[in-house]
Amino acid sequence: MRRRTEGIRKLNPPQNTSNVLEEEVRYLKGVGPKRATLLARLGVNTVRDLLLHLPRDYEDRTHARPIADLRVGEKAVVSGTIADVQFRPTQGRARGILQVTVEDRTGSLTLAWFNAHRAWAKSFAIGKPITAYGTAGFYGGLQIVAPDYELGAAPAESEKFGRILPVYSLTEGISQGVLRKIVLAALELAAAEMPEAVPRSLCRARKLPGTTQALWHAHFPADMKDKDAARRRLSYEELFAFQTALALNRARLQKARGIAFRVGANVDRRIRQLFPFDFTPAQNKVIQEVAGDMRADHPMNRLLQGDVGCGKTVVAVYATLAALAESSKGYQAALMAPTEILAEQHYLTLRSLLERARVRTALLTSAATPQERSRNLQQLADGDLDLVVGTHALIQRDVKFRDLALVVVDEQHRFGVRQRLALREKGLPPDVLVMTATPIPRTLALAYFADMDVSIIDEMPPERKPVTTEQYLPADWQRAFEAAREELRNGRSAFVVYPLVEESQELDLTSAKEGCEDLKTRVFPEYPCCLLHGQMSQKAKQEAMDGFRSGRYQVMAATTVVEVGIDVPQATVMIIQHAERLGLAQLHQLRGRIGRGGHPGKCFLLAEPRTEEARRRLEVLTRTNDGFLIAEEDLRIRGPGQLFGTQQSGMPEFRCYDFSDTEILKQARDDAFALVGKDPALRRPEHAVLRRKVLAEYGEGLALADVG
Ligand code: ADP
Ligand code: MG
């Protein structure tokens, strides 16, 4: 660890020194308002954020390597004497290519700068020592282009050499050098202030260093082992707090009194009669688990996993109807979906199933006028509505239920853990059933849903024909459209999906809109085509969905909004443009939209894979239809950081934990659950810091008072 005190000074001392971690970064030495704005783009607003903005990589510059040992593509430090200096002008006379030959006892290489100033060559004197760092390349000989370097006899340690340097994720306007200095200033100022949330006994048992030391070592490690231990510690702490929140939630729900629904044989028979098919054995098994939870007098908290198309909706509908069956009780149920389109679809499904029942149902989406919304809210609060279907808008603070008894959350992926915990705020804890869109790898499910019971549907409805999936390179795209035309001729329908272009909704829309024009005028002029994307008005969306469902439109050009839940039996074709841009789970989810009506589905991946990873992804998809296998593959190919590290996934965002180590996830879970088992309200003094941290980060739904 290296602490250098020179040049580190606070411009403005914090008002409250005990809370220096919460101080805005702009008051930190070397930051100021302009850089603070840039740092905010990295999610860095406070000194604490800065301390937890861990390096994405490290440059090990502790030792120079013998030149003869260098391998092409490797980053390394070399140290030697200058043997030759060459300048070749390229533009006029002032600028050109500068090549400096360096020799050590084992060999020689060239340091090269393109577009260098002629005058610069003079700073390199033959026979003088030089140390340089960069990536070794080969251009007629070993070469490092534009290395970081230092002239003069190599000191044991300097700002650039003899140490391990952190490499941070940057944003335009802030360089590595600047960020390193700023982080160092933050460490000097505040590393010692970071509270120790992990109880000492656990630190000892798991061999974790203290927080202050871990912060220093994570940013400026003396060796790579220190760095690993430090990062492990910071990851553990983050996971531990998260798992403690889940453990508290579980403990709380197990103690809480909930509603004991009467799900009897009559109710069961009445619900089954509503469906035109028999439930599969897997559906029956899960329905029994759910019904068991509902009968029990403590709240259900269950996760339902199943591959796309396995019939999870049936379970959701069953639970909903069972909850509302005793109409005299005045119970209310809420069904939440990730998108408005899916919410509408669920709403329509439920309304048609409930035609003869006296269930008062409403759809609550952002498209409602303020008057409609406030009327619905009033009715919910008064108990004049029994069932409400909607998006996340349902858990906003102004939504009050008279007696919310059941919440079903469809497609958990987009629904954050914090939101899940926040559900608990509304009166008596309701029964909660959460469904995933596609399977989640086992290790991760265990960690993320550690507070929940898990049910799995592991079989498909009987007539389901597996979807065949083929990949087409650009030269063959026309063939894919021809194959699709065959299906359209037989009266089936086709989706054509235009995925997100560079995370930009604007471009995304343009490509779907232009795609739609192209389909209408050139590709399938003989078949009516509609457009669907998230930015359309509620009415326009409805028109498109209704038209596509009824067969009036046989082709739908869409963004990935069709990814979740849409159920149109005659749709047999899924054409995905630029499939290489999408992740495995998303592609699998998309192709789950077709082949639902007893006719086999055909999925065409129109792709130009440029990376090995993209090639593997597409290959997996053409090879298997098994969502559980695909989830495991996805984990292997991309790593969980990519899988779950995004906001969209709904998983908590970790700042330190990078998902590369699942063992630590299990340890944190075991430790947190054991700790909460012993101290269920975190009342012991040695848990005070942890308690504060957990409440600050996950507190919304965790009324600790309920636990004790
Ligand atoms: P997901 O699990 O992807 O949400 P859905 O619930 O949307 O799947 O079901 C997919 C399709 O299978 C729907 O059209 C549904 O009506 C149908 N389905 C569900 N269960 C059965 C069953 N037991 N027998 C026949 N068809 C079923
Ligand atoms: Mg579904």
Side-chain angles (χ1 to χ4, degrees):
M1 169 193 340
R2 282 168 195 86
R3 297 181 182 218
R4 289 171 311 157
T5 43
E6 82 276 8
I8 293 149
R9 180 174 46 83
K10 290 265 299 170
L11 288 179
N12 291 7
Q15 301 300 308
N16 171 3
T17 42
S18 71
N19 210 10
V20 59
L21 291 165
E22 306 312 326
E23 193 78 359
E24 289 172 45
V25 273
R26 73 190 161 103
Y27 298 120
L28 202 60
K29 158 85 177 158
V31 182
K34 210 170 137 218
R35 278 184 177 155
T37 316
L38 299 175
L39 286 169
R41 282 199 231 140
L42 296 169
V44 173
N45 298 301
T46 64
V47 171
R48 177 200 300 275
D49 295 339
L50 196 53
L51 293 179
L52 295 175
H53 184 68
L54 299 187
R56 64 168 170 77
D57 201 1
Y58 298 84
E59 289 180 355
D60 187 348
R61 301 186 180 188
T62 41
H63 301 290
R65 293 271 298 279
I67 290 173
D69 289 357
L70 284 190
R71 242 166 271 136
V72 170
E74 233 172 15
K75 288 186 163 181
V77 176
V78 294
S79 199
T81 49
I82 297 171
D84 191 22
V85 180
Q86 295 284 337
F87 180 80
R88 274 186 290 124
T90 47
Q91 300 163 25
R93 290 180 31 81
R95 285 176 175 273
I97 300 171
L98 172 62
Q99 288 180 307
V100 175
T101 307
V102 179
E103 272 177 4
D104 70 3
R105 270 171 310 168
T106 66
S108 75
L109 59 58
T110 314
L111 309 179
W113 288 267
F114 301 103
N115 203 26
H117 251 283
R118 171 182 292 276
W120 199 14
K122 296 208 182 71
S123 61
F124 298 93
I126 291 177
K128 285 283 161 60
I130 183 170
T131 304
Y133 176 88
T135 308
F138 194 87
Y139 301 92
L142 270 182
Q143 170 171 306
I144 298 179
V145 176
D148 211 2
Y149 72 97
E150 229 166 51
L151 290 166
E157 183 194 323
S158 70
E159 197 166 297
K160 287 181 188 159
F161 292 103
R163 57 196 304 178
I164 297 170
L165 283 182
V167 179
Y168 295 102
S169 303
L170 297 175
T171 183
E172 217 176 289
I174 297 209
S175 68
Q176 284 300 346
V178 164
L179 196 49
R180 282 170 192 154
K181 285 207 180 88
I182 297 174
V183 169
L184 194 58
L187 284 166
E188 278 292 336
L189 180 74
E193 306 297 324
M194 192 67 100
E196 299 269 354
V198 182
R200 199 153 298 171
S201 57
L202 271 175
C203 284
R204 263 198 308 273
R206 295 296 186 191
K207 298 195 174 56
L208 301 166
T211 310
T212 304
Q213 193 192 1
L215 285 171
W216 275 100
H217 284 181
H219 289 285
F220 294 103
D223 65 46
M224 290 301 200
K225 269 210 218 86
D226 285 355
K227 183 263 292 178
D228 291 339
R231 296 197 71 124
R232 225 178 130 256
R233 152 75 204 222
L234 298 173
S235 301
Y236 176 91
E237 176 157 341
E238 200 167 46
L239 294 168
F240 182 66
F242 173 53
Q243 292 295 329
T244 302
L246 296 185
L248 287 169
N249 194 38
R250 186 166 180 90
R252 191 173 80 84
L253 290 173
Q254 276 177 344
K255 284 211 172 154
R257 279 270 318 244
I259 299 157
F261 294 98
R262 280 182 39 206
V263 192
N266 263 339
V267 171
D268 181 81
R269 191 165 34 79
R270 265 178 24 226
I271 297 174
R272 286 171 192 272
Q273 274 171 2
L274 295 173
F275 292 90
F277 45 72
D278 290 333
F279 297 171
T280 62
Q283 281 169 326
N284 278 326
K285 184 193 70 192
V286 170
I287 282 171
Q288 261 172 39
E289 289 164 350
V290 169
D293 286 356
M294 290 181 71
R295 283 189 205 104
D297 73 350
H298 67 83
M300 165 164 74
N301 189 31
R302 188 168 286 276
L303 174 75
L304 172 53
Q305 283 220 63
D307 203 354
V308 45
C310 71
K312 293 183 289 289
T313 312
V314 167
V315 180
V317 169
Y318 188 102
T320 308
L321 299 182
L324 299 175
E326 279 178 275
S327 53
S328 61
K329 289 276 166 66
Y331 293 143
Q332 294 172 304
L335 176 58
M336 282 198 282
T339 67
E340 308 221 323
I341 292 174
L342 190 53
E344 276 158 36
Q345 182 172 291
H346 280 322
Y347 175 70
L348 294 175
T349 307
L350 279 160
R351 237 191 19 190
S352 75
L353 287 172
L354 291 169
E355 232 159 21
R356 275 164 298 149
R358 270 164 306 172
V359 175
R360 295 160 298 178
T361 308
L363 177 67
L364 204 68
T365 64
S366 63
T369 64
Q371 290 90 330
E372 281 171 334
R373 183 173 168 85
S374 74
R375 198 189 55 226
N376 278 331
L377 293 185
Q378 192 58 50
Q379 290 182 335
L380 270 180
D382 293 345
D384 294 336
L385 276 175
D386 307 305
L387 171 61
V388 61
V389 183
T391 57
H392 302 171
L394 269 185
I395 55 158
Q396 276 161 15
R397 287 187 176 276
D398 61 337
V399 182
K400 296 258 185 308
F401 292 82
R402 179 145 177 277
D403 193 358
L404 182 60
L406 174 77
V407 178
V408 180
V409 183
D410 194 7
E411 322 293 12
Q412 159 78 16
H413 275 61
R414 310 277 179 91
F415 187 70
V417 169
R418 286 183 185 88
Q419 290 164 303
R420 170 150 58 87
L421 298 180
L423 269 179
R424 312 299 180 192
E425 280 187 307
K426 315 220 176 280
L428 256 187
D431 278 16
V432 173
L433 177 65
V434 167
M435 307 193 289
T436 64
T438 47
I440 296 173
R442 206 179 124 73
T443 40
L444 293 175
L446 280 176
Y448 277 116
F449 305 104
D451 58 331
M452 310 190 88
D453 299 305
V454 179
S455 290
I456 294 179
I457 300 185
D458 53 6
E459 83 189 299
M460 290 286 168
E463 283 103 48
R464 183 64 40 84
K465 307 268 189 321
V467 174
T468 49
T469 302
E470 288 171 1
Q471 191 198 148
Y472 290 83
L473 296 175
D476 298 326
W477 286 359
Q478 208 46 47
R479 263 181 40 217
F481 286 115
E482 287 317 312
R485 191 190 308 281
E486 198 61 33
E487 290 288 306
L488 294 171
R489 213 173 278 143
N490 290 328
R492 317 259 197 271
S493 302
F495 293 102
V496 186
V497 172
Y498 300 83
L500 212 73
V501 181
E502 295 171 29
E503 304 287 307
S504 148
Q505 289 215 312
E506 283 302 302
L507 283 173
D508 191 23
L509 281 189
T510 316
S511 71
K513 278 181 190 157
E514 282 171 3
C516 186
E517 278 313 302
D518 195 41
L519 290 170
K520 279 181 185 165
T521 55
R522 200 180 57 80
V523 185
F524 300 126
E526 66 275 43
Y527 297 104
C529 173
C530 64
L531 176 67
L532 186 73
H533 60 73
Q535 319 279 289
M536 280 162 44
S537 74
Q538 178 95 340
K539 230 179 111 207
K541 275 188 220 164
Q542 196 63 55
E543 198 271 337
M545 276 309 298
D546 289 348
F548 191 65
R549 207 172 274 134
S550 72
R552 186 153 42 85
Y553 299 116
Q554 261 181 278
V555 182
M556 172 181 276
T559 58
T560 47
V561 293
V562 297
E563 173 192 339
V564 279
I566 287 178
D567 194 29
V568 177
Q570 78 275 18
T572 58
V573 176
M574 172 63 64
I575 298 174
I576 305 173
Q577 304 266 4
H578 290 290
E580 77 278 0
R581 289 185 186 147
L582 296 175
L584 259 181
Q586 217 176 2
L587 289 165
H588 181 60
Q589 184 67 27
L590 277 170
R591 83 176 158 182
R593 298 302 118 224
I594 54 166
R596 291 174 157 239
H599 301 289
K602 291 185 179 152
C603 177
F604 302 96
L605 306 174
L606 310 191
E608 293 183 78
R610 293 218 177 78
T611 62
E612 185 51 34
E613 191 197 294
R615 263 187 287 278
R616 269 176 72 193
R617 229 167 29 223
L618 297 168
E619 188 270 326
V620 169
L621 221 63
T622 52
R623 180 157 46 89
T624 178
N625 266 308
D626 180 336
F628 284 89
L629 261 177
I630 287 172
E632 299 290 343
E633 276 295 322
D634 209 6
L635 186 61
R636 246 196 305 281
I637 296 176
R638 292 199 294 167
Q642 288 294 310
L643 267 189
F644 289 140
T646 65
Q647 194 148 34
Q648 210 206 29
S649 73
M651 299 299 177
E653 285 175 273
F654 294 123
R655 285 202 265 204
C656 303
Y657 181 54
D658 67 359
F659 298 87
S660 57
D661 177 357
T662 46
E663 196 49 41
I664 194 172
L665 192 56
K666 283 185 219 144
Q667 288 180 359
R669 185 194 60 207
D670 293 348
D671 294 347
F673 275 76
L675 182 140
V676 169
K678 279 185 252 158
D679 184 13
L682 305 184
R683 287 233 175 79
R684 294 189 196 164
E686 66 268 31
H687 299 154
V689 181
L690 176 63
R691 180 189 169 105
R692 235 175 294 138
K693 184 181 170 86
V694 170
L695 282 178
E697 279 170 36
Y698 302 97
E700 278 199 78
L702 290 171
L704 275 177
D706 294 3
V707 181

